[in-house]
Amino acid sequence: MPGLSAAELSFLEGGIAQDLRNDGRGREDFRSFSIQLDVISQASGSARVRLGATDILASIKAELGSPPAEFPHLGRLELAVEISPTAGPEFEGRGGEELSAELGKALERSFAGGANGTGAAVDLAALSVVEGKTCWVLYADVLVLNADGNILDASAIGIKAALSNTRIPKVEVLAGEGDEEGELELNDDPDECARVSTAAVPLIVTLTKVGRHYIADATGDEEAQMSSALSVAVNEKGQLCGVTKRGSAGIDPSVISDMLSVARRIGKRLLAKVDAEISLAESRLESET
Amino acid sequence: MSSQGSLRKDGRTFNQLRGMVCDRGLLHRADGSAKWSQDGTSVLVGVYGPKNMPPKREDPEKAVLEVLWKPKSGIQGPEEREAEIILRRTLEAVVLAPLFPRAGISVVVQVIHDDGSLLSCAINAACAALVDAGIPMTGLLASVTIALAKRDDGAGGGAHLQLDPTREEQDGAQATVCLALETTPKAATSNGSVEGEAVVTSTTRGAMAIEEYLEALDRCRMASRTINAFARLSLDKAQRRLELPGT
Amino acid sequence: MLQPEGPAPSLDEAAAKLAEAQAILQSSTASLPLVCLGDAIDLGADAEGGVMKGHGTMMAGEAQLQATVCGLVERVNKLVSVRALKGRYTAQVGDVVVGRVTEVAQKRWKMDVNGKQDAALLLASVNLPGGVQRRRTNVDELNMRELYQENDLISAEVQQINQGDGAVALHTRSAKYGKLQGGQLVTVAPYLIKRLKQHFVALAAPLDVGIILGCNGYVWIGSKDLVDAGGRDEDEGMEAAGPSGQVDLQLRERMCRVANAVRALAALGLPVHPPAIVEVCNLSGLLRVEIKDMLGPEFLAQVAYREADRRQAEGDAQPMDH
């Protein structure tokens, strides 16, 4: 983003202080967003999310793999974020890579759940095929095509939507002969596929501190002025699934607890809205086919 | 898959292109952008420019074209760098660079999905993005890939020419040809107007007989007309979406 | 620009309405002389008398003119050119522009004006505090940053364009030009800004804000003081009214509404000029749409419909002058 003049900055901060940002939003308002499902037909599930001008593609590829060594009864969820250089000239080369890695980590923290898989975004136990040997691995990839702030929150919405669209082929373990391992037979008939429950998938609300206040869903210009940001993952039950602090400035601890409750409140509203948008996208998809 | 009349795995004939989709103007910060899809292969291209170039990289005679090719995942490797060079040379042949001395034109290619004929798809997308940015060119580009599949029956020789191959077809081919053609304007002749095509880029992999190459060239010419017709339709639609205020 | 393909808006009804409205708008362009890149341009009667080729064209063989961009064919006497709609700003002498300082160089500021190159604002072309006509001294040169720094937004006028390489020189030699403060910038595509008699516009009450429609697509929304006839106090230099940042809430609300009206018009690809802006603001008031919802699909659909209705009422497919 090109830099803003000192005058524009103070106008921006003044607006935030008065709860009237440059586009008329209050500090806690999200921009309007849209969701499109099944945009990459070769993926097991996919979605495109447009939040303001921020445009991301989330795709899920389900592949058979080996379960984690410490928890042989679970499957795996692997997350990655990639910011395309098309998102803006500042994302060519190293800058883009670093931010991609940082956001990927933040997503992982919010979606991976505890060490033993409890509280993860998806039911990892349900992904197991043969305990200790084979399981489904869901590779969730986010590609950021256009950046106008708040990539992380948009990515979380994208992954939730893509997961709701994901079909996992049915696997049958055929009886082996004697000591031999049974073979796996895959049935990818779309009617026989298993769906992934997204009830536990959290959403992320990033609160960006600009001056003395914090705002939700910052645009590119607002984000460029941030001193620090707190990304909070909230799930349907109102629980916090992950908290990530970004930015160099410190945040006073008393402010943090306030920010957490604000994030929860916004998160709840957002979850309802996202669920509604996903259903809408699903019915649109059905009417097209 | 060996008899002449049979269809390919996805139900196409050997001479059939996949369905094309072109979206324009998707990136709000780029001067021009286009997403070109040939069924499962999809490429997004953003164009920035003509714009300022740092003094040490500028050319006093013409604009400098730069291409950045980003694979779907992972970092750039030698294949991506090769693709950048091929794409840049192709675009340099049609972009009227001398109109913008000292400026720079940046072409950013993002692979969204690769199901074969990736380079062709990228060339088509890049051309569409340059048009979207209003950058003058000598003509529209159309690129097609042809895969020479081995015949199943050893006797009979020769290979099947598969137009717009999928990843599977491309990987299993004996050789592939990727051609980029520029449509030259209708030249009035005594027989009426005739449109010609000029070869801008030709990239081959694997070995093939010269006759096979020439036949592939011919098929590509035919196919390029279809691609051009589609591009023009898509362009006309996109143009009409832009408001045209009176001067 | 709104994404052209795919159902983008959140409410299906709004999406359908918007698509419908846009289709109607599109059909009004049916009779315009659009050409595609590579098309031969019909020379018609001029073919005999010889034709001069303008921008966007090139000779292809003998007596054959070809379009090098997609756009509108324009004929002025013997000059035939094709004007591409999108693309960077092409300056004309006398244009009012809003630019951003990218570099403070020797005796000049380099400015981003959304053009193919940065424009130059020479030290000799600005009004220095303390009198317009004094000679520039070395001290002035060293103190350039006191006047305009990197990233500052400045309103200026195109003074001249270098024939050879198209380099643009700006000047601020008038009380109304100078540094912009106490407002916000909205960027739109340059082709949406028509050249008007007045680019400094004071929108009447109840809106009561001032806007500067830069021909380069940079639109500044600020307080009316910028635009008043008296302009700035020259002795104060380039300071705009009001201490920076402190803006009365009511004024801020009006500015946001106008800014969103500009954004809405730009999103729909409609020309951005004062009557249209006022109409969109009035519509939002009429429909009791909150400022922040002006960028949502429902309101955009309403705006598109209004425009489509207006054109159908006008009855023809010609581009309209408002």
Side-chain angles (χ1 to χ4, degrees):
Chain A
M1 290 261 132
L4 296 182
S5 64
E8 285 170 285
L9 287 182
S10 63
F11 184 83
L12 196 89
E13 286 186 24
I16 291 173
Q18 291 175 304
D19 203 26
L20 186 67
R21 291 147 80 174
N22 276 0
D23 56 10
R25 285 186 291 152
R27 289 193 288 267
E28 296 187 12
D29 291 325
F30 258 70
R31 286 169 286 184
S32 62
F33 59 90
S34 71
I35 299 178
Q36 251 178 294
L37 293 176
D38 209 35
V39 287
I40 302 176
S41 43
Q42 294 85 355
S44 312
S46 58
R48 180 177 178 191
V49 175
R50 277 170 273 193
L51 175 64
T54 296
D55 194 343
I56 66 130
L57 274 178
S59 64
I60 314 273
K61 199 96 206 359
E63 285 177 11
L64 288 171
S66 17
E70 323 80 63
F71 305 106
H73 62 290
L74 298 178
R76 286 173 25 220
L77 175 65
E78 310 265 331
L79 300 141
V81 175
E82 191 133 1
I83 304 183
S84 169
T86 56
E90 69 268 29
F91 296 112
E92 288 180 32
R94 293 252 49 188
E97 280 172 32
E98 283 179 19
L99 186 56
S100 302
E102 196 191 322
L103 295 179
K105 285 259 146 26
L107 273 180
E108 239 174 78
R109 218 169 283 136
S110 311
F111 281 55
N116 58 353
T118 53
V122 296
D123 184 0
L124 293 176
L127 295 175
S128 181
V129 174
V130 176
E131 181 165 331
K133 260 227 89 195
T134 321
C135 71
W136 282 111
V137 183
L138 297 180
Y139 291 98
D141 287 297
V142 173
L143 180 61
V144 181
L145 301 175
N146 207 24
D148 190 20
N150 210 17
I151 297 173
L152 188 57
D153 298 10
S155 302
I157 296 176
I159 295 183
K160 196 186 211 324
L163 283 171
S164 76
N165 180 240
T166 301
R167 284 180 167 71
I168 302 183
K170 227 168 167 186
V171 188
E172 249 191 73
V173 185
L174 303 172
E177 294 184 355
D179 270 347
E180 276 180 25
E181 291 286 335
E183 272 186 14
L184 298 172
E185 191 179 282
L186 275 173
N187 177 355
D188 56 11
D189 174 3
D191 296 323
E192 296 277 324
C193 283
R195 302 296 291 268
V196 178
S197 162
T198 59
V201 179
L203 287 181
I204 300 182
V205 175
T206 299
L207 293 175
T208 307
K209 200 151 189 297
V210 178
R212 289 182 321 150
H213 301 267
Y214 36 87
I215 50 175
D217 190 23
T219 60
D221 278 343
E222 291 170 331
E223 226 168 57
Q225 306 321 317
M226 79 160 180
S227 52
S228 54
L230 203 68
S231 294
V232 183
V234 183
N235 70 7
E236 297 277 357
K237 299 195 190 124
Q239 297 169 322
L240 301 178
C241 306
V243 179
T244 310
K245 181 203 162 287
R246 289 149 56 203
S248 46
I251 307 182
D252 199 276
S254 58
V255 176
I256 292 213
S257 76
D258 201 30
M259 285 171 93
L260 290 177
S261 61
V262 169
R264 257 179 77 186
R265 182 171 68 233
I266 299 176
K268 238 180 127 188
R269 281 206 303 264
L270 191 63
L271 277 162
K273 199 139 198 286
V274 170
D275 282 338
E277 288 290 330
I278 291 180
S279 320
L280 214 66
E282 275 168 357
S283 57
R284 216 182 286 136
L285 203 61
E286 257 161 60
S287 64
E288 274 168 22
T289 46
Chain B
M1 287 292 270
S2 57
S3 65
Q4 194 70 321
S6 66
L7 299 173
R8 291 146 82 173
K9 203 163 176 197
D10 56 5
R12 289 187 284 155
T13 64
F14 286 92
N15 226 16
Q16 201 175 348
L17 295 169
R18 286 175 284 186
M20 295 177 279
V21 178
C22 181
D23 297 334
R24 293 162 200 273
L26 311 158
L27 303 175
H28 77 305
R29 288 169 62 198
D31 292 301
S33 55
K35 180 164 143 228
W36 188 286
S37 308
Q38 287 163 206
D39 228 13
T41 301
S42 187
V43 177
L44 171 65
V45 175
V47 169
Y48 297 84
K51 59 179 172 131
N52 243 21
M53 200 68 176
K56 49 184 157 162
R57 278 164 42 204
E58 68 181 25
D59 183 336
E61 311 272 303
K62 58 187 195 315
V64 173
L65 211 73
E66 290 183 324
V67 175
L68 175 65
W69 182 293
K70 185 77 172 48
K72 181 176 180 187
S73 56
I75 50 173
Q76 274 200 333
E79 276 201 35
E80 283 75 36
R81 271 187 268 282
E82 189 193 347
E84 278 176 0
I85 295 175
I86 298 175
L87 184 56
R88 180 168 50 80
R89 295 226 174 102
T90 307
L91 298 177
E92 278 171 353
V94 291
V95 168
L96 288 164
L99 289 178
F100 310 110
R102 298 188 4 247
I105 300 176
S106 226
V107 177
V108 178
V109 177
Q110 171 68 60
V111 177
I112 296 189
H113 206 264
D114 178 12
D115 190 18
S117 306
L118 184 61
L119 184 58
S120 284
C121 188
I123 293 173
N124 292 331
C127 175
L130 285 165
V131 174
D132 192 51
I135 292 180
M137 301 194 280
T138 55
L140 287 176
L141 287 170
S143 178
V144 188
T145 302
I146 289 197
L148 278 78
K150 311 180 201 29
R151 262 195 199 254
D152 277 359
D153 49 321
H160 270 322
L161 297 181
Q162 294 172 323
L163 212 63
D164 192 17
T166 60
R167 176 97 255 172
E168 203 187 323
E169 290 171 334
Q170 209 170 298
D171 288 342
Q174 164 195 322
T176 56
V177 188
C178 171
L179 286 157
L181 303 171
E182 181 191 352
T183 310
T184 56
K186 293 177 164 69
T189 68
S190 51
N191 304 341
S193 57
V194 162
E195 226 169 19
E197 291 90 18
V199 176
V200 174
T201 293
S202 167
T203 303
T204 63
R205 266 216 175 94
M208 66 192 90
I210 295 183
E211 299 77 41
E212 287 166 344
Y213 178 81
L214 291 175
E215 208 198 320
L217 179 53
D218 215 38
R219 301 271 178 97
C220 285
R221 282 180 76 175
M222 302 293 144
S224 76
R225 293 183 192 155
T226 312
I227 296 176
N228 256 329
F230 165 75
R232 274 154 191 268
L233 210 66
S234 157
L235 268 174
D236 193 57
K237 266 175 77 179
Q239 286 235 82
R240 295 192 185 281
R241 266 195 200 96
L242 300 178
E243 163 67 350
L244 298 153
T247 34
Chain C
M1 287 281 292
L2 264 190
Q3 281 76 3
E5 306 280 345
S10 56
L11 283 181
D12 266 355
E13 236 183 54
K17 278 169 84 174
L18 189 52
E20 232 181 277
Q22 288 184 307
I24 299 175
L25 285 175
Q26 267 174 252
S27 63
S28 69
T29 64
S31 69
L32 291 162
L34 292 172
V35 285
C36 186
L37 210 160
D39 281 351
I41 301 174
D42 181 25
L43 298 177
D46 292 332
E48 298 300 316
V51 134
M52 288 198 324
K53 64 174 198 66
H55 287 301
T57 63
M58 70 181 214
M59 293 307 296
E62 300 181 13
Q64 176 94 305
L65 203 61
Q66 179 191 327
T68 57
V69 292
C70 291
L72 211 52
V73 179
E74 293 180 331
R75 299 168 204 271
V76 178
N77 297 331
K78 293 235 188 299
L79 182 68
V80 178
S81 56
V82 180
R83 184 164 57 93
L85 296 168
K86 280 184 75 172
R88 299 210 165 199
Y89 165 61
T90 308
Q92 282 184 20
V93 174
D95 275 353
V96 171
V97 298
V98 172
R100 193 184 289 280
V101 178
T102 56
E103 196 190 320
V104 181
Q106 267 214 337
K107 291 213 186 82
R108 61 170 61 188
W109 292 269
K110 290 203 130 171
M111 312 276 298
D112 160 35
V113 292
N114 197 22
K116 301 185 174 81
Q117 290 176 44
D118 278 355
L121 177 63
L122 299 175
L123 180 55
S125 307
V126 308
N127 282 346
L128 292 175
V132 170
Q133 296 301 339
R134 68 181 173 75
R135 278 187 75 194
R136 271 67 177 149
T137 63
N138 286 343
V139 178
D140 287 327
E141 209 178 314
L142 293 170
N143 289 345
M144 280 174 73
R145 272 197 184 76
E146 305 277 312
L147 206 51
Y148 304 135
Q149 293 189 325
E150 285 86 349
N151 290 330
D152 275 350
L153 279 178
I154 301 169
S155 63
E157 190 177 300
V158 175
Q159 184 170 48
Q160 70 175 52
I161 303 174
N162 189 320
Q163 283 286 16
D165 58 3
V168 174
L170 306 172
H171 78 85
T172 57
R173 280 191 162 294
S174 166
K176 59 182 179 174
Y177 297 125
K179 183 145 75 173
L180 298 173
Q181 299 181 95
Q184 58 170 302
L185 184 75
V186 177
T187 306
V188 308
Y191 76 92
L192 294 176
I193 310 277
K194 294 192 282 184
R195 289 185 167 92
L196 305 166
K197 282 206 175 63
Q198 254 312 337
H199 284 260
F200 283 73
V201 180
L203 297 178
L207 288 173
D208 250 359
V209 304
I211 53 173
I212 304 178
L213 296 162
C215 296
N216 58 335
Y218 288 0
V219 177
W220 175 260
I221 295 122
S223 78
K224 250 171 133 171
D225 307 344
L226 286 174
V227 176
D228 285 342
R232 306 137 192 282
D233 187 346
E234 281 199 21
D235 285 340
E236 277 179 20
M238 308 307 135
E239 298 305 304
S244 40
Q246 288 305 320
V247 175
D248 165 55
L249 184 61
Q250 308 241 330
L251 174 59
R252 195 181 277 278
E253 274 179 12
R254 300 199 305 269
M255 287 201 278
C256 280
R257 195 174 285 275
V258 171
N260 274 2
V262 174
R263 291 184 180 107
L265 288 168
L268 293 169
L270 296 173
V272 175
H273 55 82
I277 298 173
V278 172
E279 209 181 294
V280 173
C281 288
N282 289 344
L283 187 63
S284 73
L286 196 70
L287 300 174
R288 299 194 198 288
V289 174
E290 285 193 40
I291 301 173
K292 63 183 168 178
D293 294 327
M294 285 171 75
L295 301 178
E298 300 93 330
F299 183 65
L300 289 180
Q302 289 290 338
V303 175
Y305 255 119
R306 277 280 171 123
E307 176 64 17
D309 280 347
R310 200 184 55 76
R311 287 199 205 174
Q312 285 202 316
E314 310 267 358
D316 59 346
Q318 306 256 321
M320 296 309 304
D321 269 321
H322 294 279

